[in-house]
Amino acid sequence: MANDRLRDALDRSRVSPAELALLTECDVKTVSRWLAGRVPHPRTRFMIAKRLKEDENFLWPGAQRATDDVSNSAGMVQFYPTRGAVPPNLWDRLLDAATADVGILVYVGMFLTEKPDLLERMHKKAAAGARIRILLGERESIAVKQRSVDEGIGPETISAKIDQANAFFGSLTDVPNIEMRNHSTVLYNSIYRFDNDMIVNPHVYGKTAPMAPAMHLRKTATHGLFNTYSDSFEAVWRSATRESRS
């Protein structure tokens, strides 16, 4: 069914299909499909509605609700354009709320070491019965060297940072309920699990982790994104070269 509301809004705003194509970085044929009834992606809908000064739900009735339903069933709580955009208090809140399972999969995770009370909080959490697993990169692995090159910082830089991370977390190695290992896998995503919540930081070629997107996921009744990344964490854990020392 043709989207007459969108067509009328274009006319009222005196925006041509060609201008809309330029705004959304699409071709005019795609705009024609929208006018014919196809629903744009959420980010594109937002851009169009803002430009036309119309309510998104007016231009595409029900589209926002459908998107929310998909996100809810998949377990997506929030998407952030960069890891740096994740609110600092969210990390603290998720860690404080976790009582059973904390898992960290990174090469370095250096930003975590900036929290002055992190080690103390992990000690207390482990003493209360939570299982804490930390996976850092294996400094001499091919994957780590390549990642360092891909980020444009030289082949040894991430290895040196791993040394720092190992030193920082070293006091946790003999604490009951805390396990540390080093892995040699290609790090497609950094994963931070806090019971049934998780922050996933997908990596982008040529970009450092803070500049790559981040997703706040939550475990749902059905198999969703949380389960997918949880399975990935477990696969890396099983492949890790260093055995548990707790």
Side-chain angles (χ1 to χ4, degrees):
M1 183 181 296
N3 191 335
D4 293 329
R5 295 185 179 187
L6 177 58
R7 188 180 299 278
D8 291 344
L10 288 173
D11 291 341
R12 284 194 299 273
S13 301
R14 297 184 180 180
V15 175
S16 68
E19 290 177 292
L20 193 63
L22 184 63
L23 170 72
T24 57
E25 299 181 349
C26 297
D27 53 38
V28 177
K29 185 178 292 186
T30 299
V31 175
S32 297
R33 294 192 184 103
W34 297 337
L35 292 171
R38 178 173 293 185
V39 179
H41 292 295
R43 178 176 176 274
T44 305
R45 295 200 306 266
F46 174 81
M47 293 172 60
I48 296 172
K50 182 178 180 181
R51 174 63 181 86
L52 301 181
K53 298 180 180 179
E54 294 283 358
D55 185 90
E56 184 178 330
N57 289 321
F58 171 78
L59 295 175
W60 298 281
Q64 183 63 49
R65 181 171 53 82
T67 301
D68 291 343
D69 289 344
V70 171
S71 297
N72 290 337
S73 64
M76 176 78 76
V77 177
Q78 185 67 47
F79 179 87
Y80 299 95
T82 64
R83 194 194 69 196
V86 177
N89 63 352
L90 177 60
W91 297 99
D92 294 329
R93 180 165 56 82
L94 293 178
L95 177 59
D96 290 341
T99 60
D101 193 352
V102 174
I104 298 172
L105 167 60
V106 293
Y107 275 160
V108 182
M110 191 58 67
F111 78 101
L112 294 174
T113 67
E114 297 173 359
K115 296 182 177 295
D117 60 345
L118 178 64
L119 297 180
E120 179 183 356
R121 291 162 70 190
M122 285 189 167
H123 272 271
K124 291 180 179 179
K125 198 159 289 292
R131 183 189 188 190
I132 298 175
R133 292 180 291 172
I134 300 173
L135 279 160
L136 301 175
E138 175 55 59
R139 73 174 325 279
E140 297 300 331
S141 69
I142 295 174
V144 165
K145 304 288 187 183
Q146 187 61 52
R147 173 70 185 182
S148 197
V149 171
D150 292 345
E151 289 188 2
I153 55 178
E156 301 298 329
T157 302
I158 291 182
S159 296
K161 290 181 178 181
I162 289 174
D163 290 340
Q164 292 178 284
N166 278 323
F168 177 83
F169 289 109
S171 65
L172 301 176
T173 55
D174 296 320
V175 178
N177 292 330
I178 297 181
E179 305 169 82
M180 289 185 60
R181 297 183 185 180
N182 290 81
H183 69 98
S184 302
T185 64
V186 175
L187 191 65
Y188 297 106
N189 312 272
S190 293
I191 298 174
Y192 308 87
R193 177 177 180 170
F194 309 94
D195 286 353
N196 292 328
D197 282 86
M198 180 184 291
I199 293 178
V200 176
N201 182 200
H203 295 298
V204 179
Y205 182 86
K207 298 290 185 180
T208 58
M211 300 306 297
M215 301 179 289
H216 179 190
L217 308 178
R218 183 165 296 153
K219 190 173 184 179
T220 60
T222 57
H223 193 287
L225 289 171
F226 180 98
N227 303 83
T228 298
Y229 286 106
S230 179
D231 291 345
S232 178
F233 180 96
E234 296 299 336
V236 177
W237 182 256
R238 290 191 298 269
S239 73
T241 57
R242 182 178 298 174
E243 293 297 325
S244 166
R245 292 180 291 175
S246 66

